[in-house]
Amino acid sequence: MEELGPVDLFYKWLEAELTDIETNGPKKRRGRKPTKNMYFTYMTDQAIIAYNKEPSYAKRNKVFREHINYPFNKLVENIYHTFRFSYFDVPYEDVKAEVVAFLTEKIGKYQEGKGKAFSYFSIVAKNYLIIQNNANYAKLKMRSEPSEIDANRNISAEVSLNDHQESLRDFTNLWVNWYDNHINTIFVNKRDIIVADTILELFRIRENIENFNKKALYILIRERTGLKTQNITKVLNVMKRDYMKMYTVYRKSGHIVDSTKL
């Protein structure tokens, strides 16, 4: 008898899973209550894991076509419309196909046990769209008169934002180092220290997950710490308060000042 490959085992698991759901109803899972139209589920995660492990091109193509392609398309569609990227000069369907192709190219970098696939591919898709959108905007600025661009976007606001982001980048590097050295003074609860350390680590690798939103941040921290949202929020609020106070001083003086003295 031929040995079953990863995709074969996925379909066998999926059949048993669907039979169990039909008999006993959906399983209760941790996290936010699912919506009625979930398109990227734990089954999608398993399909991606099987795809990455499968040596057979034909089987990889089958599982992608039946269980990964649609979730990828819906994910890109939702991100595109949520953030309203406006500097693409090709039809939306072409943009979506390009991003789905990029996700497919990066699918092998998703690692089992390193968080949910939805979180990973959401960040990959959003970063790709942001980079392409910004590149298109840069080209538009080169081709157009300032007055023409200004009809679509407030240029003075763009310049101000770029200056602000550069200042934030420099400050954040200094702030992360300072906070890392004072973390055991600011927080005494071991659980809080774990959360704070995780947040600092996300700041350290922010170039790889740049521009993620608040929801994505919480998802990443929950997956890395296994803690509830309320535990994360408490620590995040303290760090946010310190960050804003210290940055206000930094903008005026160019120096990091102890947040406990502000």
Side-chain angles (χ1 to χ4, degrees):
M1 180 180 295
E2 183 181 356
E3 184 178 354
L4 297 178
V7 168
D8 297 319
L9 293 172
F10 164 75
Y11 277 104
K12 188 175 181 180
W13 168 84
L14 182 63
E15 182 181 4
E17 191 74 4
L18 293 174
T19 299
D20 182 62
I21 291 173
E22 184 177 352
T23 303
N24 303 311
K27 297 178 180 178
K28 291 185 178 180
R29 294 182 174 272
R30 294 178 58 188
R32 178 177 295 184
K33 185 178 180 180
T35 63
K36 293 181 180 179
N37 299 315
M38 288 187 66
Y39 61 90
F40 208 119
T41 69
Y42 67 99
M43 296 179 185
T44 311
D45 284 36
Q46 294 303 314
I48 291 171
I49 292 168
Y51 175 93
N52 284 334
K53 291 181 178 179
E54 179 58 58
S56 167
Y57 176 80
K59 291 179 181 179
R60 282 159 59 92
N61 188 52
K62 173 181 170 63
V63 75
F64 183 90
R65 184 178 66 251
E66 295 179 354
H67 296 283
I68 302 174
N69 185 55
Y70 176 74
F72 271 10
N73 274 269
K74 286 296 294 182
L75 182 148
V76 174
E77 177 183 324
N78 289 343
I79 290 176
Y80 184 91
H81 291 303
T82 296
F83 293 93
R84 299 180 182 179
F85 296 99
S86 55
Y87 290 98
F88 287 94
D89 55 3
V90 296
Y92 156 70
E93 289 296 334
D94 291 348
V95 176
K96 183 170 74 168
E98 180 182 336
V99 182
V100 170
F102 184 74
L103 293 183
T104 305
E105 179 185 336
K106 299 298 181 183
I107 195 171
K109 292 190 175 182
Y110 171 69
Q111 297 181 30
E112 182 179 2
K114 296 291 185 179
K116 295 185 182 300
F118 177 79
S119 303
Y120 174 78
F121 289 105
S122 292
I123 292 170
V124 171
K126 185 163 63 173
N127 284 347
Y128 183 82
L129 282 165
I130 289 170
I131 291 170
Q132 297 303 315
N133 191 68
N134 290 346
N136 291 338
Y137 176 61
K139 292 177 183 177
L140 177 65
K141 287 199 296 183
M142 294 175 63
R143 294 196 306 262
S144 307
E145 292 296 328
S147 59
E148 295 177 7
I149 304 172
D150 194 47
N152 295 319
R153 176 174 285 188
N154 186 325
I155 295 302
S156 61
E158 280 289 331
V159 174
S160 177
L161 177 61
N162 289 336
D163 179 65
H164 178 64
Q165 287 177 333
E166 184 176 351
S167 177
L168 275 176
R169 187 179 301 112
D170 294 337
F171 167 74
T172 299
N173 291 333
L174 297 171
W175 180 82
V176 168
N177 290 333
W178 182 91
Y179 224 89
D180 189 42
N181 291 329
H182 294 80
I183 192 170
N184 291 308
T185 303
I186 299 168
F187 301 104
V188 294
N189 183 290
K190 183 178 180 181
R191 182 180 60 192
D192 293 345
I193 292 173
I194 291 173
V195 174
D197 185 64
T198 301
I199 294 171
L200 290 176
E201 180 60 24
L202 292 179
F203 271 107
R204 292 187 189 98
I205 63 172
R206 65 189 183 279
E207 295 300 326
N208 298 324
I209 51 176
E210 195 171 12
N211 294 307
F212 56 84
N213 59 19
K214 183 178 178 180
K215 179 180 178 181
L217 175 65
Y218 272 94
I219 290 172
L220 285 169
I221 298 171
R222 283 205 307 265
E223 289 176 355
R224 287 170 176 257
T225 63
L227 296 173
K228 296 180 179 179
T229 299
Q230 55 265 35
N231 303 130
I232 298 169
T233 300
K234 182 180 68 172
V235 175
L236 198 56
N237 284 341
V238 172
M239 297 180 74
K240 180 181 178 181
R241 180 201 65 201
D242 290 344
Y243 186 97
M244 296 306 296
K245 290 197 305 183
M246 294 171 71
Y247 180 63
T248 299
V249 175
Y250 176 81
R251 284 279 286 181
K252 296 177 180 178
S253 67
H255 300 289
I256 289 286
V257 178
D258 190 334
S259 63
T260 60
K261 298 179 180 179
L262 298 176

